[in-house]
Amino acid sequence: MAEEKANSYILSSPRQDAEAYSANFGAHRVGISPQEMAEYYSQWARQGTYDEDLSPERYRGPTLAADVIAQTYLHNRHSVKILDVAAGTGRLGTELHKQGFRCLDGLDPAEGMLAIARKKNIYRHLFCEFMPTENINIPKGDYDVIAVAGGMGEGHIPCKALREMVRITKSGHVVIVMREEYLDHVAEYKDRLEPIMLELEDQGLWQLLQRNVVPNYSFDNNGVIFLFKVC
Ligand SMILES: C[S@@+](CC[C@H](N)C(=O)[O-])C[C@H]1O[C@@H](n2cnc3c(N)ncnc32)[C@H](O)[C@@H]1O
């Protein structure tokens, strides 16, 4: 189904939009492994076309996530400690920095993407790692905010990462911005991601504050913004 939709978009769109859609689709092809996915993003970044292909006109993940965080933290933004999970080339960090946030760390398994993020000089630490992490141990309650923009998808962040996000957040917030259709189209998430979110709420670990569906999140696809308050 995702392939048919991609083909139809690619055939009916101007060349540059079609190429950008196709590049993005490659990172989400059905059955892609986490290692293949990370290598794909690294290559995409090294070609120098990621930021242009997913320009703000085509992909609004970073601005949507930054706006939710800015609306949640009106004061003392310089001291709010944020982990940008799936930081990529640092687009969310850039938006947060513009809004006055200064304690920014990033985590992403694609070194090619992080190489671009590093040059932006806005992150204190950049970890080349998958979430949940295996090679570094982030202390419990280390961050005020965990933010994910565009990090969910086929072969991307698995459901089990949610519990780790809660663990490393100290009574702050978790923000996840993702393409809405992945809730159904990605086998890892279908009938699992939202039930696990609910399970964590039933266990008193976090509370859902927002679940907003927004149009034109990525190309012409809806996005969904989840905002949780960690207890
Ligand atoms: C579409 S890009 C989004 C990058 C950036 N947040 C942005 O909005 O431009 C998706 C990113 O998710 C990262 N990613 C995928 N699975 C991940 C995981 N398990 N843990 C951390 N990052 C992951 C990829 O390496 C890639 O850089």
Side-chain angles (χ1 to χ4, degrees):
M1 186 201 300
E3 198 153 334
E4 278 165 28
K5 189 174 166 191
N7 285 337
S8 138
Y9 183 94
I10 288 164
L11 289 173
S12 62
S13 303
R15 187 177 58 82
Q16 282 181 331
D17 289 336
E19 285 175 2
Y21 195 101
S22 176
N24 188 53
F25 187 67
H28 291 265
R29 69 176 163 75
V30 175
I32 193 168
S33 72
Q35 288 70 23
E36 289 168 335
M37 175 277 311
E39 186 50 32
Y40 184 97
Y41 277 110
S42 277
Q43 290 299 336
W44 192 1
R46 287 182 185 126
Q47 279 165 24
T49 48
Y50 172 87
D51 280 334
E52 196 184 324
D53 284 342
L54 295 193
S55 64
E57 297 73 40
R58 297 194 183 112
Y59 166 59
R60 300 198 297 133
T63 45
L64 290 169
D67 286 349
V68 172
I69 295 167
Q71 285 154 17
T72 308
Y73 291 86
L74 299 177
H75 308 291
N76 299 321
R77 289 181 179 170
H78 60 279
S79 61
V80 177
K81 196 172 171 190
I82 302 178
L83 180 63
D84 177 2
V85 173
T89 60
R91 299 264 294 277
L92 172 55
T94 303
E95 294 303 320
L96 288 168
H97 197 267
K98 279 187 209 160
Q99 307 238 34
F101 294 94
R102 291 293 179 269
C103 287
L104 303 170
D105 292 344
L107 184 148
D108 196 292
E111 177 50 42
M113 298 283 274
L114 291 182
I116 295 176
R118 210 165 279 122
K119 287 189 191 143
K120 294 180 178 166
N121 282 326
I122 43 173
Y123 293 95
R124 301 176 322 161
H125 305 289
L126 282 170
F127 306 106
C128 190
E129 268 275 4
F130 288 94
M131 176 60 79
T133 59
E134 285 186 359
N135 302 314
I136 54 166
N137 183 24
I138 303 174
K140 182 174 187 299
D142 208 21
Y143 289 96
D144 297 301
V145 177
I146 304 297
V148 179
M152 309 300 284
E154 183 82 18
H156 286 57
I157 296 175
C159 292
K160 65 181 176 199
L162 295 183
R163 200 168 278 278
E164 175 65 355
M165 291 182 200
V166 171
R167 188 189 71 81
I168 63 177
T169 309
K170 60 165 175 264
S171 56
H173 296 84
V174 175
V175 179
I176 298 173
V177 182
M178 63 184 283
R179 202 188 277 198
E180 186 190 25
E181 66 183 13
Y182 291 162
L183 293 170
D184 274 330
H185 293 184
V186 174
E188 166 74 10
Y189 304 150
K190 187 172 166 52
D191 301 327
R192 289 193 70 222
L193 188 70
E194 291 198 276
I196 291 173
M197 288 172 169
L198 197 58
E199 195 179 296
L200 293 172
E201 187 156 10
D202 288 345
Q203 290 171 2
L205 296 173
W206 69 10
Q207 185 194 353
L208 179 66
L209 298 183
Q210 271 187 47
R211 184 196 187 280
N212 288 346
V213 174
V214 292
N216 303 320
Y217 157 74
S218 167
F219 299 89
D220 52 2
N221 297 291
N222 283 352
V224 55
I225 304 170
F226 294 99
L227 172 66
F228 296 94
K229 172 85 179 82
V230 177
C231 304

